[in-house]
Amino acid sequence: MKLTSSQSKILIVLISIFLVSAVIYFYTAKDTTLPKMTVQEKKARFKALIIPAVDEVYDDLMVQYNDVSASLKSGSNTDEIAELKVEYKAKSDAELLMALKPHPKSIAIAQAAMESSWATSRFFREAYNIFGVWSFDEDEPRIAALQKRGDKTIWVKEYSSVKASVSDYYRTIARGDAFKEFRQLKMKTNDPHALVKKLDRYSEKGAEYGHELTSIIKFNKFRQYDAIN
């Protein structure tokens, strides 16, 4: 059967809509299974999922950091400052600024790649947990790891979105006692290769963790994202 001109146009539009929908689903869908992908396809999917969220969270944090910095200089918004100090466990204005200033995007993206196996891990697929953040609160959304430590079940947080996961990761770095030296150095340099050396307590790998992050940042040229603000 030969299609009329108008029918052909409608068919083309429908096919185009289907293809676009398929691409969007492939790159953004939360699913417990994934199709086979080449390394290039896996990395493209990872970037499409993770980098926009990192950009958005980073920008939000920079706005907050600049606003708080201005408030501290002018002596305004004292109640808000006091609440933030409690939230971020900051004992001084300097510690609060250290907590609020976001670290380079390249580090967040590299950690996301490592901790989520380029957004293919079970934790990411089922719980949007990009950074392997554990849960110690039975009342919060979480999922159990498949492996135990002795007779203890390991739980990781479950998030509502990629952005929520990225936000909580930055908050974890901003509040954790283990990352105090990282926060201090962050105020002196934005060099990710120097900063990742202070993330040895993020992983059981210790100092090797920083070396691996450096390799990921260099090989994938993640520093290019630090120049985008």
Side-chain angles (χ1 to χ4, degrees):
M1 179 180 69
K2 187 175 181 180
L3 299 177
T4 65
S5 177
S6 60
Q7 288 175 325
S8 297
K9 291 179 180 179
I10 293 173
L11 181 60
I12 292 172
V13 170
L14 291 174
I15 292 173
S16 299
I17 292 173
F18 172 79
L19 291 174
V20 170
S21 299
V23 170
I24 292 174
Y25 177 82
F26 177 79
Y27 281 112
T28 64
K30 177 183 179 183
D31 198 354
T32 57
T33 59
L34 288 173
K36 289 185 178 180
M37 293 178 282
T38 65
V39 172
Q40 292 77 11
E41 288 172 338
K42 183 166 68 172
K43 288 187 175 183
R45 174 181 174 272
F46 168 84
K47 291 178 181 179
L49 286 167
I50 306 303
I51 292 177
V54 172
D55 285 340
E56 189 173 354
V57 170
Y58 183 94
D59 290 346
D60 290 344
L61 291 174
M62 276 304 301
V63 169
Q64 183 185 40
Y65 170 77
N66 289 328
D67 287 346
V68 170
S69 181
S71 294
L72 289 172
K73 289 179 181 178
S74 65
S76 60
N77 300 319
T78 54
D79 290 343
E80 178 186 349
I81 299 299
E83 290 176 2
L84 286 171
K85 284 182 177 179
V86 172
E87 179 182 353
Y88 286 95
K89 304 177 182 179
K91 298 178 181 179
S92 65
D93 294 349
E95 285 191 2
L96 179 60
L97 290 176
M98 279 191 284
L100 295 180
K101 182 183 179 184
H103 55 268
K105 300 175 189 177
S106 57
I107 296 176
I109 298 168
Q111 283 192 268
M114 183 185 295
E115 298 292 342
S116 72
S117 297
W118 297 91
T120 65
S121 70
R122 171 176 165 261
F123 292 161
F124 176 79
R125 289 183 285 111
E126 296 184 9
Y128 283 133
N129 193 316
I130 307 168
F131 299 94
V133 178
W134 288 20
S135 169
F136 302 96
D137 183 357
E138 62 182 16
D139 293 326
E140 69 182 358
R142 61 183 188 169
I143 64 171
L146 296 179
Q147 295 181 337
K148 293 186 176 183
R149 289 202 168 185
D151 59 349
K152 292 184 178 180
T153 298
I154 298 173
W155 297 88
V156 299
K157 290 185 178 183
E158 181 177 359
Y159 298 98
S160 60
S161 66
V162 172
K163 183 181 178 181
S165 181
V166 174
S167 294
D168 192 51
Y169 152 78
Y170 266 99
R171 187 172 183 272
T172 298
I173 299 293
R175 286 166 41 93
D177 293 337
F179 312 117
K180 185 174 182 179
E181 291 186 8
F182 176 85
R183 294 193 296 271
Q184 291 172 336
L185 184 60
K186 179 180 61 176
M187 303 305 288
K188 300 176 182 178
T189 180
N190 286 319
D191 181 359
H193 304 309
L195 287 168
V196 293
K197 295 177 182 178
K198 300 298 183 180
L199 288 175
D200 53 298
R201 294 178 65 184
Y202 194 95
S203 168
E204 294 178 345
K205 295 180 179 181
E208 182 60 27
Y209 188 69
H211 297 321
E212 292 183 12
L213 287 174
T214 293
S215 296
I216 291 174
I217 291 170
K218 287 182 176 179
F219 184 81
N220 294 281
K221 300 178 181 178
F222 283 158
R223 288 204 70 176
Q224 64 180 302
Y225 301 107
D226 293 334
I228 302 174
N229 295 312

